[in-house]
Amino acid sequence: MTILLSAIYSCIYAQGFPEEPINGIAFPIGSKVTIKLHATDSAHYDFSIIELKAFNEIVNTQDHDYLFPENGEEDRITFYFCQGTHGDTREEKEKNRRVLLLMKNYSRKVVQYSFEIQQKKMRNSNILQIV
């Protein structure tokens, strides 16, 4: 089941966490999302949303490790879907601006991900979908 956050973004922010396990989610650029893995069998996982909040910082593409604590809770994965750039001058920073998907897997499991980034023409915003 895929949740299209572009339509219900405000509703998800208002819900309590953790959510029931699901197998897909979509969220807009400018988001920090933490999920918890739930094994459905020995090789497959659903996940629940532990944290979903706005993240509008433009990060340095060459120095962003500060976003992730060294040690996180087991079976958690944290994502930042945001903008990043690098450079010394304003012009360099504007030229080097990119959309980033940063993530850290605190699980001991090797997890295979499938991501799709969609551009919504109406709002000129990006949506990230994880399935």
Side-chain angles (χ1 to χ4, degrees), residues 18-120:
E19 293 284 324
E20 291 297 316
I22 56 177
N23 60 19
I25 184 175
F27 49 91
I29 191 169
S31 298
K32 175 187 178 190
V33 179
T34 301
I35 62 173
K36 179 179 179 182
L37 299 174
H38 300 274
T40 57
D41 60 38
S42 63
H44 298 92
Y45 297 88
D46 283 347
F47 58 88
S48 58
I49 303 165
I50 302 300
E51 177 184 40
L52 172 60
K53 67 181 186 178
F55 181 81
N56 295 312
E57 180 181 330
I58 297 174
V59 299
N60 184 329
T61 56
Q62 299 172 343
D63 181 23
H64 49 71
D65 289 342
Y66 68 92
L67 295 171
F68 301 100
E70 174 108 10
N71 298 311
E73 291 188 52
E74 178 67 21
D75 293 333
R76 304 281 199 289
I77 303 172
T78 298
F79 303 89
Y80 288 88
F81 187 44
C82 60
Q83 294 186 46
T85 190
H86 64 277
D88 295 323
T89 67
R90 179 182 234 170
E91 292 79 21
E92 286 177 322
K93 288 180 180 180
E94 191 59 38
K95 178 183 171 191
N96 295 324
R97 187 177 289 213
R98 304 284 186 264
V99 173
L100 303 176
L101 174 61
L102 306 171
M103 56 197 277
K104 182 154 186 171
N105 182 353
Y106 292 101
S107 170
R108 294 182 184 172
K109 300 165 185 75
V110 177
V111 180
Q112 184 176 5
Y113 307 90
S114 175
F115 296 104
E116 180 179 308
I117 298 177
Q118 303 171 358
Q119 178 121 7
K120 296 288 185 186

